[in-house]
Amino acid sequence: MKEQKKKLKLKVSAISQGTVIDHIPSENLFDVISILELDKTPNMITFGANLDSDKLVNKAIIKVSNQFFENDEINKIALIAPHAKLNIIKDYEVVEKKVVEIPDQVVGIVKCFNPKCITNAEPITTSFSVISKSPVALKCKYCEKITNESQMVIK
Amino acid sequence: MKKKDLISITDYSKDEYLKIMELAADFEKNPNQNLLEGKVVASLFFEPSTRTRLSFETAISRMGGRIVGFTDAGSSSVTKGETLHDTIRMVSQYADLIVMRHPLEGSARYAAEVSSVPVINAGDGANQHPTQTLLDMYSILKTQQTFDNLNIFMIGDLRYGRTVHSLLMAMSEFENPIFNFIAPDELQMPEEYKMFLRDRNIRYFEHREFTDIISEADIMYMTRVQKERFSDPMEYEEVKNVYILKNSMLANTKSNMRILHPLPRVNEIATDVDKNEKAYYFQQALNGMYTREAIIAHALNLK
């Protein structure tokens, strides 16, 4: 195991200051990048996908230099990366660890599964109340229909 | 002050239900009250619904208000590709109140967010139709003199029928209701509503057969099996004629029992039931006008 972890470190280089988001399912890496708007950040980011992990067969990792996230912001990724772990890095040291938590409200991010919902017909920001966290079930503020985990599509 | 929209039945509290009932009784005694004089109500029907529209427009006329609007999307700017957002934004600058029906679910909630004046939902697709529920409640109160301790039978399409879902939620606010659901397997009451009842310790029973069990009913709420709710036409053909109420079936029912139906009916109530004093669906439709006068008066703080 130790050997594997060492290799992983070599695959995605260390940062001196910033945030490491680990244990992202590889297939959702680019959605995570988009939800956190890392595609627009001026900060240096490195990421790796399809890495070996103890918990996930296929995990991804993102390292963002000089950027730190509020809980509200980072919890947005909980729907697609429920086991994500954050390491806050200062001077190459992990100074804090965080896990993500599914919020009570989900604004934007997810599409309502109901094809007859107004949010799928006009440019409207979706809004859901989370009625169950495991498995995830989201109730649309507009059409009042419930989008289940298996029906969830990221906008 | 918060805008008094009516989008879902749960937007109103129990006190508001009771206030609407009181106001409706008042409008029934005296339907012509000039409360809307000098006011303009926009009646926006993005899909046709003659019954609901005439009921609303008669209510507005009897209250002395003026009506602007359209009766189907074909005669509106929707055909030019205008979004709901822009239509509502514009109309809410002209009118004091918006009454709208739209084929898409959630459209009314969205319109209420965009509009600066109150919005009354006259049906948003298969989602909500709260004024129907309030007129159903008024009909129940008028025929039973109470909302408490009633045994309410719901029959037919309990899966897609939005009126039964809203009525179930509203009646659950009152003392000790019992619900009986009669529906074929394909059209059973959805789990989320049964869970809603279980969470509140409200008794309900499910039946597949339309039998003498109806002798226990105080209210029989019949519904139409709507073809447009089925994606598979075969499934519709299989269930459309399953439950038909005939006059002969009413012999052992309670004397206070009344039959409600949101109309239009197709064949689920045989015409020989119409003569029975327990048939209440035509009076129920008239109650709709009084109830809508009450809802409008409440929305604009006129009463």
Side-chain angles (χ1 to χ4, degrees), chain A residues 114-119 121-124 139 141-146, chain B residues 8 83-85 102 104-107 109-110 113 126-128 192 228:
Chain A
N114 176 8
K116 288 184 180 163
C117 179
I118 187 75
T119 60
E122 294 201 6
I124 300 171
K139 186 172 184 181
K141 173 185 167 189
Y142 296 98
C143 75
E144 306 181 24
K145 296 279 177 299
I146 292 161
Chain B
S8 296
T83 59
L84 176 64
H85 173 275
H102 196 286
L104 290 177
E105 297 162 27
S107 54
R109 179 75 62 201
Y110 180 60
E113 281 183 2
N127 184 32
Q128 292 278 339
E192 56 182 294
E228 59 267 31

Short mmCIF file of all heavy atoms in Angstrom, two decimals, chain A residues 114-119 121-124 139 141-146, chain B residues 8 83-85 102 104-107 109-110 113 126-128 192 228:
data_model
loop_
_atom_site.label_atom_id
_atom_site.label_comp_id
_atom_site.label_asym_id
_atom_site.label_seq_id
_atom_site.Cartn_x
_atom_site.Cartn_y
_atom_site.Cartn_z
N ASN A 114 -37.69 15.52 -14.92
CA ASN A 114 -39.03 15.57 -15.52
C ASN A 114 -38.99 16.35 -16.84
O ASN A 114 -38.79 17.56 -16.84
CB ASN A 114 -39.98 16.25 -14.52
CG ASN A 114 -41.37 16.43 -15.06
OD1 ASN A 114 -41.71 15.94 -16.14
ND2 ASN A 114 -42.19 17.17 -14.32
N PRO A 115 -39.21 15.66 -17.97
CA PRO A 115 -39.11 16.37 -19.26
C PRO A 115 -40.17 17.46 -19.40
O PRO A 115 -39.99 18.39 -20.18
CB PRO A 115 -39.33 15.26 -20.30
CG PRO A 115 -39.96 14.13 -19.57
CD PRO A 115 -39.53 14.24 -18.13
N LYS A 116 -41.26 17.37 -18.60
CA LYS A 116 -42.31 18.38 -18.70
C LYS A 116 -42.12 19.53 -17.71
O LYS A 116 -42.99 20.37 -17.54
CB LYS A 116 -43.67 17.73 -18.47
CG LYS A 116 -44.10 16.87 -19.64
CD LYS A 116 -45.49 16.33 -19.40
CE LYS A 116 -45.95 15.48 -20.56
NZ LYS A 116 -47.11 14.66 -20.16
N CYS A 117 -40.98 19.54 -17.02
CA CYS A 117 -40.71 20.61 -16.06
C CYS A 117 -40.30 21.88 -16.80
O CYS A 117 -39.53 21.83 -17.76
CB CYS A 117 -39.61 20.19 -15.08
SG CYS A 117 -39.21 21.49 -13.88
N ILE A 118 -40.80 23.01 -16.33
CA ILE A 118 -40.50 24.30 -16.95
C ILE A 118 -38.98 24.57 -17.00
O ILE A 118 -38.50 25.22 -17.92
CB ILE A 118 -41.26 25.45 -16.22
CG1 ILE A 118 -41.10 26.80 -16.93
CG2 ILE A 118 -40.83 25.58 -14.76
CD1 ILE A 118 -41.92 26.97 -18.17
N THR A 119 -38.23 24.03 -16.04
CA THR A 119 -36.78 24.28 -16.02
C THR A 119 -36.07 23.63 -17.20
O THR A 119 -34.94 23.98 -17.51
CB THR A 119 -36.12 23.77 -14.72
OG1 THR A 119 -36.33 22.36 -14.62
CG2 THR A 119 -36.67 24.46 -13.49
N ALA A 121 -37.47 23.73 -20.19
CA ALA A 121 -38.00 24.40 -21.37
C ALA A 121 -37.46 25.82 -21.52
O ALA A 121 -37.39 26.36 -22.62
CB ALA A 121 -39.52 24.44 -21.32
N GLU A 122 -37.10 26.44 -20.39
CA GLU A 122 -36.60 27.82 -20.43
C GLU A 122 -35.31 27.90 -19.61
O GLU A 122 -35.07 27.06 -18.75
CB GLU A 122 -37.66 28.77 -19.84
CG GLU A 122 -38.88 28.82 -20.72
CD GLU A 122 -39.74 30.07 -20.53
OE1 GLU A 122 -39.34 30.98 -19.78
OE2 GLU A 122 -40.80 30.13 -21.15
N PRO A 123 -34.50 28.92 -19.88
CA PRO A 123 -33.25 29.02 -19.12
C PRO A 123 -33.48 29.45 -17.68
O PRO A 123 -33.49 30.62 -17.36
CB PRO A 123 -32.45 30.08 -19.90
CG PRO A 123 -33.46 30.87 -20.64
CD PRO A 123 -34.65 30.00 -20.87
N ILE A 124 -33.75 28.47 -16.83
CA ILE A 124 -34.05 28.72 -15.41
C ILE A 124 -33.04 27.95 -14.57
O ILE A 124 -32.75 26.79 -14.87
CB ILE A 124 -35.48 28.23 -15.07
CG1 ILE A 124 -36.52 28.96 -15.93
CG2 ILE A 124 -35.79 28.39 -13.59
CD1 ILE A 124 -37.93 28.38 -15.82
N LYS A 139 -36.21 17.10 -4.53
CA LYS A 139 -37.55 17.54 -4.94
C LYS A 139 -37.46 18.90 -5.62
O LYS A 139 -36.97 19.87 -5.04
CB LYS A 139 -38.47 17.62 -3.72
CG LYS A 139 -39.90 17.93 -4.11
CD LYS A 139 -40.83 17.81 -2.92
CE LYS A 139 -42.27 18.02 -3.38
NZ LYS A 139 -43.21 17.94 -2.28
N LYS A 141 -38.22 22.45 -6.89
CA LYS A 141 -38.99 23.56 -6.36
C LYS A 141 -40.13 23.95 -7.31
O LYS A 141 -41.14 24.46 -6.89
CB LYS A 141 -38.02 24.74 -6.20
CG LYS A 141 -38.61 26.06 -5.82
CD LYS A 141 -37.47 27.07 -5.85
CE LYS A 141 -37.94 28.50 -5.78
NZ LYS A 141 -36.82 29.43 -6.02
N TYR A 142 -39.94 23.70 -8.59
CA TYR A 142 -40.93 24.12 -9.59
C TYR A 142 -41.99 23.04 -9.84
O TYR A 142 -43.14 23.22 -9.52
CB TYR A 142 -40.22 24.55 -10.87
CG TYR A 142 -39.35 25.77 -10.63
CD1 TYR A 142 -37.98 25.66 -10.42
CD2 TYR A 142 -39.92 27.04 -10.53
CE1 TYR A 142 -37.19 26.77 -10.15
CE2 TYR A 142 -39.15 28.15 -10.26
CZ TYR A 142 -37.78 28.02 -10.07
OH TYR A 142 -37.01 29.11 -9.78
N CYS A 143 -41.59 21.91 -10.40
CA CYS A 143 -42.60 20.91 -10.78
C CYS A 143 -42.94 19.97 -9.62
O CYS A 143 -43.88 19.18 -9.71
CB CYS A 143 -42.16 20.11 -12.00
SG CYS A 143 -40.88 18.90 -11.66
N GLU A 144 -42.17 20.03 -8.53
CA GLU A 144 -42.42 19.25 -7.31
C GLU A 144 -42.19 17.75 -7.50
O GLU A 144 -42.55 16.95 -6.65
CB GLU A 144 -43.83 19.54 -6.74
CG GLU A 144 -44.06 21.03 -6.52
CD GLU A 144 -45.42 21.38 -5.93
OE1 GLU A 144 -46.03 20.54 -5.27
OE2 GLU A 144 -45.87 22.53 -6.13
N LYS A 145 -41.59 17.36 -8.63
CA LYS A 145 -41.29 15.95 -8.86
C LYS A 145 -39.94 15.61 -8.22
O LYS A 145 -39.10 16.49 -8.03
CB LYS A 145 -41.23 15.64 -10.35
CG LYS A 145 -42.55 15.83 -11.07
CD LYS A 145 -43.47 14.63 -10.89
CE LYS A 145 -44.81 14.85 -11.56
NZ LYS A 145 -45.58 16.00 -11.04
N ILE A 146 -39.77 14.33 -7.93
CA ILE A 146 -38.55 13.90 -7.24
C ILE A 146 -37.57 13.26 -8.22
O ILE A 146 -37.91 12.34 -8.94
CB ILE A 146 -38.91 12.95 -6.09
CG1 ILE A 146 -39.67 13.75 -5.02
CG2 ILE A 146 -37.67 12.29 -5.50
CD1 ILE A 146 -40.47 12.94 -4.07
N SER B 8 -49.52 26.02 -5.13
CA SER B 8 -49.81 24.66 -4.68
C SER B 8 -50.77 24.75 -3.51
O SER B 8 -50.78 25.77 -2.81
CB SER B 8 -48.53 23.98 -4.17
OG SER B 8 -47.61 23.85 -5.21
N THR B 83 -40.63 33.77 -24.38
CA THR B 83 -40.54 32.88 -23.22
C THR B 83 -41.63 33.23 -22.22
O THR B 83 -42.18 34.34 -22.23
CB THR B 83 -39.18 33.03 -22.50
OG1 THR B 83 -39.06 34.40 -22.07
CG2 THR B 83 -38.02 32.66 -23.39
N LEU B 84 -41.92 32.27 -21.34
CA LEU B 84 -42.89 32.50 -20.26
C LEU B 84 -42.41 33.67 -19.40
O LEU B 84 -43.19 34.53 -18.98
CB LEU B 84 -43.03 31.23 -19.41
CG LEU B 84 -43.93 31.34 -18.19
CD1 LEU B 84 -45.37 31.62 -18.60
CD2 LEU B 84 -43.86 30.07 -17.35
N HIS B 85 -41.10 33.70 -19.16
CA HIS B 85 -40.51 34.77 -18.37
C HIS B 85 -40.90 36.14 -18.89
O HIS B 85 -41.38 37.00 -18.17
CB HIS B 85 -38.98 34.61 -18.36
CG HIS B 85 -38.26 35.75 -17.71
ND1 HIS B 85 -37.94 36.90 -18.39
CD2 HIS B 85 -37.83 35.92 -16.43
CE1 HIS B 85 -37.33 37.73 -17.55
NE2 HIS B 85 -37.25 37.15 -16.36
N HIS B 102 -50.99 26.55 -17.75
CA HIS B 102 -49.86 26.30 -18.64
C HIS B 102 -49.62 24.80 -18.70
O HIS B 102 -49.77 24.11 -17.69
CB HIS B 102 -48.63 27.04 -18.08
CG HIS B 102 -47.51 27.21 -19.05
ND1 HIS B 102 -46.69 26.16 -19.40
CD2 HIS B 102 -47.07 28.29 -19.74
CE1 HIS B 102 -45.79 26.60 -20.28
NE2 HIS B 102 -46.00 27.89 -20.51
N LEU B 104 -46.83 23.17 -18.95
CA LEU B 104 -45.60 22.67 -18.33
C LEU B 104 -45.67 22.72 -16.80
O LEU B 104 -46.16 23.68 -16.22
CB LEU B 104 -44.38 23.45 -18.82
CG LEU B 104 -44.00 23.20 -20.28
CD1 LEU B 104 -42.83 24.08 -20.67
CD2 LEU B 104 -43.67 21.72 -20.52
N GLU B 105 -45.13 21.68 -16.16
CA GLU B 105 -45.17 21.57 -14.71
C GLU B 105 -44.14 22.53 -14.09
O GLU B 105 -43.02 22.60 -14.56
CB GLU B 105 -44.90 20.12 -14.31
CG GLU B 105 -45.99 19.21 -14.84
CD GLU B 105 -45.62 17.74 -14.89
OE1 GLU B 105 -44.77 17.30 -14.11
OE2 GLU B 105 -46.21 17.03 -15.74
N GLY B 106 -44.57 23.23 -13.06
CA GLY B 106 -43.68 24.19 -12.41
C GLY B 106 -43.75 25.57 -13.02
O GLY B 106 -43.15 26.52 -12.50
N SER B 107 -44.49 25.72 -14.11
CA SER B 107 -44.58 27.02 -14.79
C SER B 107 -45.20 28.09 -13.88
O SER B 107 -44.79 29.24 -13.91
CB SER B 107 -45.39 26.89 -16.09
OG SER B 107 -46.63 26.31 -15.80
N ARG B 109 -45.17 28.26 -10.51
CA ARG B 109 -44.22 28.68 -9.46
C ARG B 109 -43.20 29.65 -10.04
O ARG B 109 -42.85 30.66 -9.43
CB ARG B 109 -43.53 27.44 -8.87
CG ARG B 109 -42.51 27.69 -7.79
CD ARG B 109 -43.10 28.06 -6.45
NE ARG B 109 -43.91 27.00 -5.87
CZ ARG B 109 -44.84 27.21 -4.92
NH1 ARG B 109 -45.05 28.41 -4.45
NH2 ARG B 109 -45.55 26.21 -4.45
N TYR B 110 -42.74 29.33 -11.23
CA TYR B 110 -41.76 30.20 -11.89
C TYR B 110 -42.38 31.56 -12.21
O TYR B 110 -41.77 32.60 -11.96
CB TYR B 110 -41.25 29.51 -13.16
CG TYR B 110 -40.23 30.33 -13.91
CD1 TYR B 110 -39.04 30.71 -13.30
CD2 TYR B 110 -40.47 30.73 -15.22
CE1 TYR B 110 -38.10 31.47 -13.99
CE2 TYR B 110 -39.54 31.49 -15.91
CZ TYR B 110 -38.36 31.86 -15.28
OH TYR B 110 -37.44 32.63 -15.96
N GLU B 113 -42.50 33.80 -9.31
CA GLU B 113 -41.19 34.40 -8.99
C GLU B 113 -40.91 35.62 -9.87
O GLU B 113 -40.32 36.60 -9.43
CB GLU B 113 -40.08 33.38 -9.23
CG GLU B 113 -39.94 32.36 -8.12
CD GLU B 113 -38.79 31.40 -8.35
OE1 GLU B 113 -38.06 31.52 -9.37
OE2 GLU B 113 -38.63 30.52 -7.52
N ALA B 126 -49.51 18.33 -15.22
CA ALA B 126 -50.02 17.32 -14.29
C ALA B 126 -49.67 17.66 -12.85
O ALA B 126 -49.90 16.86 -11.94
CB ALA B 126 -49.43 15.96 -14.65
N ASN B 127 -49.14 18.85 -12.61
CA ASN B 127 -48.64 19.16 -11.27
C ASN B 127 -49.74 19.59 -10.29
O ASN B 127 -50.20 18.79 -9.49
CB ASN B 127 -47.52 20.19 -11.35
CG ASN B 127 -46.88 20.48 -10.02
OD1 ASN B 127 -46.81 19.60 -9.17
ND2 ASN B 127 -46.46 21.71 -9.80
N GLN B 128 -50.18 20.84 -10.33
CA GLN B 128 -51.08 21.35 -9.30
C GLN B 128 -52.27 22.07 -9.90
O GLN B 128 -52.17 22.64 -11.00
CB GLN B 128 -50.31 22.34 -8.40
CG GLN B 128 -49.24 21.70 -7.55
CD GLN B 128 -49.79 21.08 -6.27
OE1 GLN B 128 -50.87 21.42 -5.81
NE2 GLN B 128 -49.05 20.13 -5.71
N GLU B 192 -45.38 8.10 -2.25
CA GLU B 192 -45.06 9.31 -1.49
C GLU B 192 -46.27 9.86 -0.73
O GLU B 192 -46.12 10.41 0.36
CB GLU B 192 -44.47 10.40 -2.39
CG GLU B 192 -45.35 10.77 -3.55
CD GLU B 192 -44.73 11.80 -4.47
OE1 GLU B 192 -44.52 12.95 -4.05
OE2 GLU B 192 -44.47 11.45 -5.62
N GLU B 228 -54.18 11.20 -21.87
CA GLU B 228 -52.94 11.95 -22.13
C GLU B 228 -51.85 11.69 -21.08
O GLU B 228 -50.70 12.05 -21.28
CB GLU B 228 -53.23 13.45 -22.28
CG GLU B 228 -53.88 14.12 -21.08
CD GLU B 228 -55.41 14.15 -21.15
OE1 GLU B 228 -56.01 13.23 -21.74
OE2 GLU B 228 -56.00 15.10 -20.60
#
